[in-house]
Structures are given as C-alpha cells and as structure tokens.
Amino acid sequence: ENFNLHSANTIRYFGDDDRQQLRQQLAQQLPGCADSLDFLLDRGQWPGQDTYGMSRTLCLLLSVGCRAIVMDDDVLCSAIDSPFAAAGVRFADSMNEVDFYPSTDGWRRRFGPRAENPLTSHLQCLGLGIGDALHALGIDADDDTYLADSEYRVMRRLGPDSRVLITQNGTFGDPGTQDTSWCFNLQGDSLQRLLDNPDSLQAKLATRQYWMGFSRATFSTQGALSQVTGLDNSVVLPPYFPAWRGEDQVFGAMVHFLYPGSLVLNYPWAVPHLPLEERTGRIDDSAGRADMGLVESWLNERARDVPNPDFTARLAALAQVLRDVRDKPDEDLSRDYRLALGAAHAAAVSSLTAQMRDAPEAHKPWRALLTQRRQGYLAALGRPDVPVRVDGVADDTPEAVVWDHLRRYCGSFAKCLEDWPAIRDAAAAIAASGD
C-alpha cells in the first residue's frame, strides 16, 4: 500500500484469500472443471508438500494474453553481466557455465549491476520470432563468432514457428539446488575452474557461491531452472504440476512437447540469488533413485512420436500420454520404471567413465569423487531386484502404493490439461471484468 503511493503502476498483492476466491469463481463458471481446479490450486490437496508449481500456475492464470515474469522471493531485482562475456550467439542444449567464489563478497565486490534491470531485459526478446530476437540482440551475421559452438541438433529444429516462449538468466550466489551433483557434468573452462587448486575442491562444492549462466546469448530447446523466468503467456502454455521440486523441468518438457519448434533464450547476464538461511552444498547419492529428471526424459521421448504440429492435437496427445500411464497395471509400471532408471544409470556410468579418462592424474580428490560416484551407479545397475525409490516418497513406501499414487496423479493431471484452455479463458474473462 505504501509503495503504491509513489509508484506509477499499481502493485497488487494476490494472497491466499484471493487465490481461493479465484478458484471459487472459476468453479462456478466451469462446474465440470472443479476437480482440476482443486488439483491445480488447492493447497489442501498437497499437505506437507512444496507447492511452487501451484504459485506459477496462478501466475499464468493472472496473466493470460500477456508476457509474464516470475521471480523467486530471494533474488535482487538487478542484473550483472557474465564475468566471461563473449560476442555472438549459440544454439545449444548444454548446461550452464560455472565459476566459483569463496564467499558472497567474492563476486559482489568484483561485479557491478548493469544499467538495465532484469525485468526490462527479459522483455527484450520474450515472445519474438527467431529473426526478430536475433535483431533485438544486435547479432551481426557477418561476425566470425556468430554461431560459435552451436549444435546442429538444435539448429535443425529452427523454422517459421520458432518463437521464444521462455527466457531465462544466470545466477550469482546460491544456485537454487542443494545437490551439487551437477559438478560431474561440467566441461571445458568451467571444469578447469573447479579443478584449479585440488585442495579447494570440497570448499567450492560446499560454499554455494557461484556464477552459473552463459557467457553469450544461448538459444536452447527446453526450459529448466532460473531464478527469474520470462513466460510468453500470449500462447497457451501448460499449467505447472502443483507440487514437489523439479516442476520447472517438467514444465519445460511439456512446453517442448506442445511447441516443438519453440525456443528458450538464456540471456548472458545473471541475478543475485541470496537466500536468508544458510545453505551448504552436498553431493547426493542419486544412484537407485528417480526424480523429475526421469519424467522430463520420458516426456521428451514421447514428444518425438507426435508428428502433428497442431497445438490442439499435441495437447490431446500429451494428456493421452498421461492417461496411458494411468491405465497401466503394476507390472507394466514396474518394468517401465526399471528400464528407464537402468538407461539413466548406464548413461551416467558412460559419462563418469569419460570424465575419469580425462581427469588429471595428480588431482586425487576429483578422481576419488568420480570413482565413488561411478561405483555407486555400477552397484545400482548390478542389483538383481531394483527397489522403487522416488524423491519425495519415503523409501519404505510399498511399491503398490507408489503406483496407485502415480496413476491417480497422471489421471488427474491429464484432466487438468484437457480443461486448461477453458480454465485459462475463464480466468481472462474474470480479469477483464475487474472481479
């Protein structure tokens, strides 16, 4: 209220009471969608669970027809250029580049904010076609660095419908995930920065003070985690799965499923992410355990089986993919889970083996981490009876209970996807009426 006394634009706080009122208004207009509205917007459906996806779905309902920017609540609304800024643009599905700092002061004293804030910067290209986005970025096709390090597998997807539906940025400070297992996927200069000074390896992974981002504007095919995210909600973006972590990965996979020619733009600047609580990084033992990354891979595999480019057809196909899971017996779900987990573990062993081959002989701490991680995955692959272990589910949960919950969630979310266009239109009508 005090802010609005001095602001050119009115800021509205949309709290729990507003959310409940919106849910009730939507249910009155769309009685056949009541169950979907409860699944997507009722926290009572998810006791004791993180519901970040619910908040983001609410954002989509409040911004129908607009471009929206979603921010974490512990970032500063300022932007800092990449410490390794480079000219040109990339088309690649590579992971973030990384630099390591001993403390917050290690990067805050070295790098000052850009003149332009991250909200304005996100809108620079959000919603544009690929040609207009390149023009907005000031990319000169005659520059020798124009497409350096780009991947053909990404560029071959470009076409008239290639539009930037999601924009992301890098992070200075806390990366947003406590698990630092991403270190095993580092390459090039980022890996070299990690391995500089063997005695500092453990401290780098535990301190959680990083720059994570891209040194040049990078177009990719799928969204992931970003502390500030731009969403082109002028097209029908899917709802987020309401609960658990990894909701960004699943959302990115669904957008890619629905709009296979669309693009994600990773800007070459970062925002400060400064959680109030103290956090320490650790390498989680993920061998033998599934997470949202498995769901992401599973959706991407099935997206290739839908040749129809029409959005309505692809939305129906996505809902059917979930219903196929709902209709499977325990034996089929058990087989599919173990096959997917085994494939993921085999890929991890292959990657770690390559890392071991290239690891400096003198860097014993790094080689020890690689060896331990690789042995864990090999042991998981060698188990005759693989237990069902899923992030967020107690390890002693009977397998039949896990599959019952999975079927229910898939069936409910499939109905949400089918109802979503009508829910979205009703939300836009409520907003237009001023109610």
Side-chain angles (χ1 to χ4, degrees), residues 12-215:
R12 179 182 177 188
Y13 176 73
F14 202 92
D16 278 346
D17 291 342
D18 299 288
R19 176 175 53 83
Q20 292 286 15
Q21 181 181 351
L22 176 61
R23 184 167 66 92
Q24 291 168 4
Q25 289 175 306
L26 290 170
Q28 289 172 0
Q29 292 192 25
L30 303 167
C33 300
D35 289 343
S36 294
L37 291 166
D38 287 344
F39 188 87
L40 293 173
L41 297 176
D42 182 9
R43 285 202 174 94
Q45 303 275 324
W46 307 95
Q49 301 289 339
D50 294 329
T51 52
Y52 303 110
M54 188 176 294
S55 299
R56 296 204 167 196
T57 293
L58 188 61
C59 173
L60 291 174
L61 290 176
L62 297 174
S63 62
V64 174
C66 302
R67 295 178 296 170
I69 300 173
V70 184
M71 300 176 64
D72 285 4
D73 60 3
D74 49 9
V75 300
L76 301 184
C77 192
S78 63
I80 304 173
D81 283 322
S82 162
F84 307 101
V89 65
R90 295 176 68 224
F91 291 86
D93 278 334
S94 56
M95 75 168 287
N96 289 334
E97 302 164 48
V98 185
D99 197 11
F100 304 84
Y101 305 95
S103 66
T104 304
D105 287 344
W107 55 267
R108 294 190 77 172
R109 290 183 177 179
R110 287 179 57 188
F111 309 113
R114 309 170 79 229
E116 191 173 64
N117 70 62
L119 307 184
T120 303
S121 296
H122 264 284
L123 296 177
Q124 181 185 19
C125 296
L126 181 60
L128 298 183
I130 180 59
D132 290 335
L134 290 172
H135 178 73
L137 291 169
I139 300 301
D140 182 358
D142 294 330
D143 191 325
D144 291 342
T145 62
Y146 178 52
L147 295 175
D149 303 320
S150 290
E151 298 174 356
Y152 170 72
R153 58 183 293 274
V154 176
M155 296 189 67
R156 69 184 178 88
R157 296 177 179 272
L158 300 179
D161 62 341
S162 294
R163 179 172 164 183
V164 179
L165 298 186
I166 301 174
T167 53
Q168 302 180 155
N169 55 256
T171 301
F172 269 105
D174 188 275
T177 173
Q178 197 166 25
D179 182 12
T180 54
S181 298
W182 44 261
C183 70
F184 297 111
N185 297 318
L186 293 178
Q187 297 178 346
D189 292 340
S190 297
L191 178 59
Q192 187 57 51
R193 288 190 284 267
L194 173 65
L195 300 185
D196 284 347
N197 184 5
D199 293 339
S200 68
L201 178 64
Q202 291 294 346
K204 287 175 179 175
L205 296 177
T207 304
R208 290 169 67 92
Q209 291 298 322
Y210 311 114
W211 164 73
M212 301 185 77
F214 291 93
S215 54

Side-chain angles (χ1 to χ4, degrees), residues 285-289 341-354 356 369-386:
D285 179 15
S286 59
R289 186 176 298 277
L341 195 64
H345 289 169
V349 169
S350 177
S351 176
L352 290 163
T353 300
M356 280 288 295
L369 279 180
L370 290 171
T371 300
Q372 181 181 12
R373 185 84 169 176
R374 184 173 179 273
Q375 288 174 342
Y377 279 113
L378 285 171
L381 280 171
R383 289 175 187 160
D385 184 21
V386 179

